[in-house]
Amino acid sequence: MACLLLPIIYLAFISLGLPDSLLGAAWPSMYPALGVPLSWAGGISTIISVGTVISALASDRLTGALGTGKVTALSVAMTAAALLGFSCSTAYWQLCLWGIPYGLGAGSVDAALNNYVSLHYKSRHMSWLHCMWGVGASVGPMIMARALAGPGWTAGYRTIALLQAALTAVLVLSLPLWKRPQDSADGEGFTPEHRSLPELMKIPGVPQVMVCFFCYCALESTAGLWAASYCTLVRGIDAATAASWASLFYLGITAGRFVCGFLTMKMSDRSMIRLGQCVIAAGLVLILLGAGDGILFGGLILLGVGCAPIYPCIIHETPQNFGRALSMALTGVQMAAAYVGNCLMPPLFGLLAQSISPALYPWFLATLLAVMAAMSEALHRKTAGCA
């Protein structure tokens, strides 16, 4: 029975990715129909992000009260309801309203699932599960593209909502599986500890790991969002080619996480994090060389491949760094720091690109990488005694 749970968790990670790219894919068709400016997509995105941060911070106590299985089922159900609400919306304010359960559902399930896997499964499963997130994030826009070619964006949201509802039913039926102690990697029992954010911040290594998550997610989201603009505005590549090249970044992450699942069988989480950072640096060097489109092409791929192991491996080593009892509380805090990075830094680079130059793209990413690498090494020094 215990072996049945892992495929369900894989499905849950696909469901996490399905809605993540929908707004960006559908917005060019949504805003004329809603009669609002193009820039107003940022308002919906911000509402979702704020809800995600709040629910991530609350995930510790919520998971302690309900358990991972119930939190996952409830969160996916909230996301399904929100997506269905999007599909029925005819005004911008309605999208903003449905963005609240959309964000609140995403943060709790993300933190709960990541902590559960870090406690009960090997590192390779964390990499492969995040690879499944990439599959979902890739499939979502495909479904929306098919809908846009026919009935319209509302049908795309409705299709994803129905898929999420079906997964909710599967999760509800699977609830007894989440309680089986034999899923544990080491079989040791522990009592989760609940601490406030100020108390957690006093633990050695916690400020460093929060900065790591902030910088990593800021780097990933900025790299993905602005890659096409950099290729077009700075390197003179036509828009269609630039858009396809930008997708290579996400392809690199997804394929990289599949490969990293095998590498983690031979390498520790810390070694995988350092390897990823080195590969990102190599990709940035290729981009900065300005030696031709082929070199730029390779640099974008290396950026994605380098990002692949960092997020899942930092999450997976949380129980090792801070202890199993604190892992849920700290996973929620780490997720919140990640979402803040996602929310703040891409717009900040947009302002820099507009006021100075989009040529700052690789330098901006290099700065985030340098801070992340420094904090990562500081984290490992401060938690060396827990390893």
Side-chain angles (χ1 to χ4, degrees):
M1 293 289 289
C3 63
L4 295 177
L5 181 58
L6 190 57
I8 292 171
I9 297 176
Y10 272 80
L11 284 175
F13 267 80
I14 293 176
S15 82
L16 280 174
L18 277 174
D20 280 2
S21 303
L22 289 183
L23 183 61
W27 189 247
S29 298
M30 293 172 67
Y31 82 88
L34 296 169
V36 299
L38 174 66
S39 61
W40 281 24
I44 302 171
S45 178
T46 299
I47 290 171
I48 294 172
S49 296
V50 170
T52 304
V53 171
I54 292 172
S55 61
L57 290 173
S59 62
D60 175 28
R61 296 191 180 278
L62 187 61
T63 304
L66 300 178
T68 304
K70 290 181 180 178
V71 168
T72 302
L74 178 62
S75 297
V76 175
M78 288 177 64
T79 305
L83 292 172
L84 187 60
F86 267 52
S87 73
C88 299
S89 296
T90 56
Y92 181 80
W93 68 266
Q94 294 171 347
L95 294 175
C96 293
L97 182 65
W98 285 110
I100 297 173
Y102 193 132
L104 292 175
S108 294
V109 66
D110 200 0
L113 280 177
N114 275 294
N115 180 66
Y116 190 89
V117 174
S118 69
L119 286 172
H120 302 309
Y121 293 98
K122 300 297 184 182
S123 183
R124 61 180 179 271
H125 290 297
M126 186 67 82
S127 292
W128 289 335
L129 287 164
H130 281 272
C131 174
M132 292 300 102
W133 172 89
V135 171
S138 300
V139 170
M142 294 179 186
I143 293 175
M144 181 59 73
R146 182 176 290 271
L148 292 174
W153 61 270
T154 57
Y157 275 107
R158 188 176 303 113
T159 300
I160 301 296
L162 293 175
L163 290 174
Q164 298 285 69
L167 177 60
T168 300
V170 173
L171 289 168
V172 170
L173 293 175
S174 74
L175 287 178
L177 300 177
W178 297 84
K179 301 177 182 179
R180 299 183 67 87
Q182 56 264 48
D183 288 342
S184 177
D186 55 18
E188 297 178 2
F190 64 94
T191 302
E193 295 183 26
H194 306 289
R195 300 190 192 180
S196 66
L197 180 59
E199 290 173 334
L200 291 173
M201 292 296 292
K202 296 177 182 178
I203 299 173
V206 170
Q208 288 77 15
V209 79
M210 290 182 68
V211 175
C212 283
F213 269 88
F214 177 94
C215 289
Y216 168 76
C217 288
L219 188 154
E220 179 188 302
S221 56
T222 303
L225 180 62
W226 293 103
S229 297
Y230 174 80
C231 291
T232 300
L233 300 176
V234 178
R235 304 297 289 269
I237 298 171
D238 67 272
T241 302
S244 64
W245 282 23
S247 68
L248 294 173
F249 172 73
Y250 293 105
L251 178 62
I253 293 179
T254 303
R257 284 176 177 164
F258 177 77
V259 174
C260 286
F262 296 99
L263 293 179
T264 55
M265 298 178 189
K266 299 293 183 181
M267 300 173 65
S268 68
D269 287 328
R270 294 183 181 183
S271 297
M272 292 296 296
I273 293 166
R274 291 176 179 131
L275 175 62
Q277 291 166 349
C278 290
V279 174
I280 291 174
L284 290 173
V285 168
L286 291 182
I287 294 173
L288 284 166
L289 285 175
D293 292 350
I295 300 298
L296 173 61
F297 182 92
L300 291 172
I301 294 177
L302 285 181
L303 272 184
V305 172
C307 285
I310 297 175
Y311 191 92
C313 286
I314 296 179
I315 293 174
H316 189 264
E317 69 173 3
T318 299
Q320 174 186 339
N321 286 338
F322 302 107
R324 293 167 63 83
L326 283 172
S327 63
M328 184 64 244
L330 285 167
T331 298
V333 168
Q334 291 170 168
M335 296 291 100
Y339 298 135
V340 172
N342 278 335
C343 184
L344 296 183
M345 300 309 279
L348 174 60
F349 176 76
L351 292 175
L352 292 174
Q354 180 174 323
S355 60
I356 303 176
S357 170
L360 290 174
Y361 174 76
W363 297 106
F364 188 86
L365 299 181
T367 302
L368 292 171
L369 174 63
V371 176
M372 174 177 61
M375 290 298 100
S376 177
E377 293 305 312
L379 165 67
H380 293 151
R381 288 195 299 270
K382 288 182 176 295
T383 59
C386 300

